[in-house]
Amino acid sequence: MKVGIFISGTGTNMVAVCRNFLDRKLDGVEEISFVLSDKRSAPGLEKAEAMGIKTIVLLKRKEQTREDYEAELLKAIEPYDVGLLVLAGFMKVLGNRFLEGFCGRIINIHPSLLPSFKGVNAQSQAFEYGVKVSGCTVHFVDSTLDGGPIILQQPVFRKNDDTDDTFRARILEQEHILLSKAVSIVCKGDYKICGRYVVLNQEEL
Ligand code: GRF
């Protein structure tokens, strides 16, 4: 399956997926067709280019409505004919117009064990709450915020001497592993969805 990746920032998750693909460790992925950013300054863009991946920048103009921006997004990626879109630190919430065009074919990585700590800065939300365990989640994207069916989750335990930064860094390390696994599972079609539950053909223990 062909895959497109959306980013807005550093792009370390995107790099992990592309690296695994280039090292032939991503079964089911035929091609990483593009990395698209909604920010020209996203450091991930250069990293994608350095790996030889096609990059696209599509900014939302101030006067543009979300609908119009999303119509432009769909048009920009249409020629690539990707089967899966991966949101890897993409900071825009996608609306129905876009989701309809990619129904059930968009996944997102979120740095908490959903449904806890949705939204931005989930790692700090969890840290400040005083959790013993947080982690990361890869889920299908639907019209709810961080609310679609969960594909994979990985717990990360907080240590007594963790700071917000060290906790965040250990979660990020796991995100890189989890996102690549999820991309491969979805591309291979190694799952079925029963209601909200994503049944994996090979149970991840
Ligand atoms: C990650 O923590 C991801 O879970 C969240 O945004 C961050 C992106 O980091 N959605 P990076 O750009 O992949 O380094």
Side-chain angles (χ1 to χ4, degrees), residues 18-199:
C18 293
R19 230 354 345 125
N20 280 325
F21 170 70
L22 295 171
D23 292 345
R24 300 179 191 284
K25 289 184 189 152
L26 271 195
D27 287 355
V29 179
E30 183 188 331
E31 171 184 290
I32 308 281
S33 306
F34 61 81
V35 169
L36 180 145
S37 171
D38 63 335
K39 297 212 164 51
R40 203 182 295 287
S41 58
L45 284 169
E46 269 185 26
K47 297 176 191 169
E49 274 160 23
M51 288 184 290
I53 312 273
K54 160 90 189 161
T55 58
I56 305 170
V57 178
L58 195 64
L59 311 178
K60 180 178 171 302
R61 297 187 300 279
K62 268 202 188 115
E63 72 282 3
Q64 209 174 18
T65 63
R66 180 161 99 173
E67 283 246 309
D68 287 347
Y69 176 68
E70 291 186 358
E72 227 180 276
L73 261 185
L74 282 170
K75 211 165 155 201
I77 65 176
E78 193 185 285
Y80 298 92
D81 196 27
V82 292
L84 177 69
L85 270 186
V86 179
L87 309 187
F90 184 65
M91 297 309 284
K92 280 195 171 50
V93 176
L94 294 167
N96 286 333
R97 170 93 186 243
F98 193 92
L99 297 177
E100 278 161 18
F102 267 91
C103 191
R105 299 191 291 135
I106 311 178
I107 66 173
N108 179 49
I109 175 93
H110 184 77
S112 76
L113 292 179
L114 289 170
S116 293
F117 308 114
K118 294 180 177 184
V120 292
N121 253 323
Q123 308 93 325
S124 301
Q125 290 184 49
F127 188 83
E128 278 158 26
Y129 193 88
V131 298
K132 297 286 182 187
V133 57
S134 188
C136 45
T137 303
V138 182
H139 62 92
F140 285 106
V141 173
D142 64 13
S143 58
T144 61
L145 176 70
D146 299 325
I150 291 168
I151 303 164
L152 288 175
Q153 292 189 298
Q154 178 62 44
V156 174
F157 288 87
R158 176 171 170 171
K159 297 177 181 167
N160 285 343
D161 61 356
D162 261 335
T163 61
D164 191 319
D165 283 349
T166 58
F167 194 41
R168 177 182 294 266
R170 284 192 297 111
I171 292 172
L172 187 62
E173 227 173 82
Q174 294 305 317
E175 289 182 43
H176 297 162
I177 301 167
L178 202 71
L179 184 58
S180 292
K181 269 193 197 171
V183 167
S184 189
I185 287 170
V186 175
C187 284
K188 285 191 291 179
D190 256 356
Y191 68 97
K192 62 175 185 281
I193 302 184
C194 295
R196 277 200 53 89
Y197 190 66
V198 179
V199 188

